[in-house]
Amino acid sequence: MAVAAITTPPKQKSRPKLKKQPLPAGQPREWYESHNRRLKAMRLAIALLDTGVYHPAKASNRRIRSTAERIGIHPPSNTTCRMVRSLIYSGD
C-alpha cells in the first residue's frame, strides 16, 4: 500500500522591512559622506561574516570588492575597505 507524502514548501525567513527615514538636513557634506561610508562598511562586514570571513586578515580588498559586487553595491574605496576590516576586528 502506497502512502502519499505531504510536502510543504520550506518557509523563507523574511526580515521586517524598515521604514527609511530621510537624513537630517543642515549637516556639512562630509557628515553625509562619512555616514554613507559607515553604512556601506557595515553592510559589507555583515555580508563577509555571513560568508565565513571572521578575521580581518582574510578580508582583502579584492574579497571585499567581490562581495560588494555580489550583493549589488558599488565597489568600495580603500578607506571603506579599511573600515570593513576594523568592523570585523572589533567583533572578535
Side-chain angles (χ1 to χ4, degrees):
M1 173 167 28
V3 176
I6 300 174
T7 59
T8 58
K11 288 187 178 181
Q12 301 250 343
K13 291 182 182 178
S14 63
R15 295 181 181 176
K17 295 284 183 180
L18 297 177
K19 189 175 182 181
K20 289 189 176 183
Q21 297 179 354
L23 294 175
Q27 299 291 333
R29 181 173 180 80
E30 294 81 25
W31 184 89
Y32 296 105
E33 289 172 358
S34 67
H35 175 77
N36 288 331
R37 187 182 306 272
R38 287 190 306 264
L39 289 178
K40 182 184 237 182
M42 283 191 292
R43 282 194 300 270
L44 285 167
I46 290 168
L48 285 167
L49 290 169
D50 286 345
T51 60
V53 178
Y54 299 115
H55 199 272
K58 300 247 180 183
S60 64
N61 285 358
R62 178 182 287 176
R63 179 172 268 180
I64 293 170
R65 288 185 176 119
S66 67
T67 302
E69 183 180 337
R70 195 182 79 241
I71 63 175
I73 59 178
H74 289 284
S77 65
N78 290 337
T79 305
T80 305
C81 289
R82 280 194 305 272
M83 194 177 287
V84 169
R85 282 190 287 276
S86 70
L87 286 171
I88 293 173
Y89 180 72
S90 65
D92 285 343

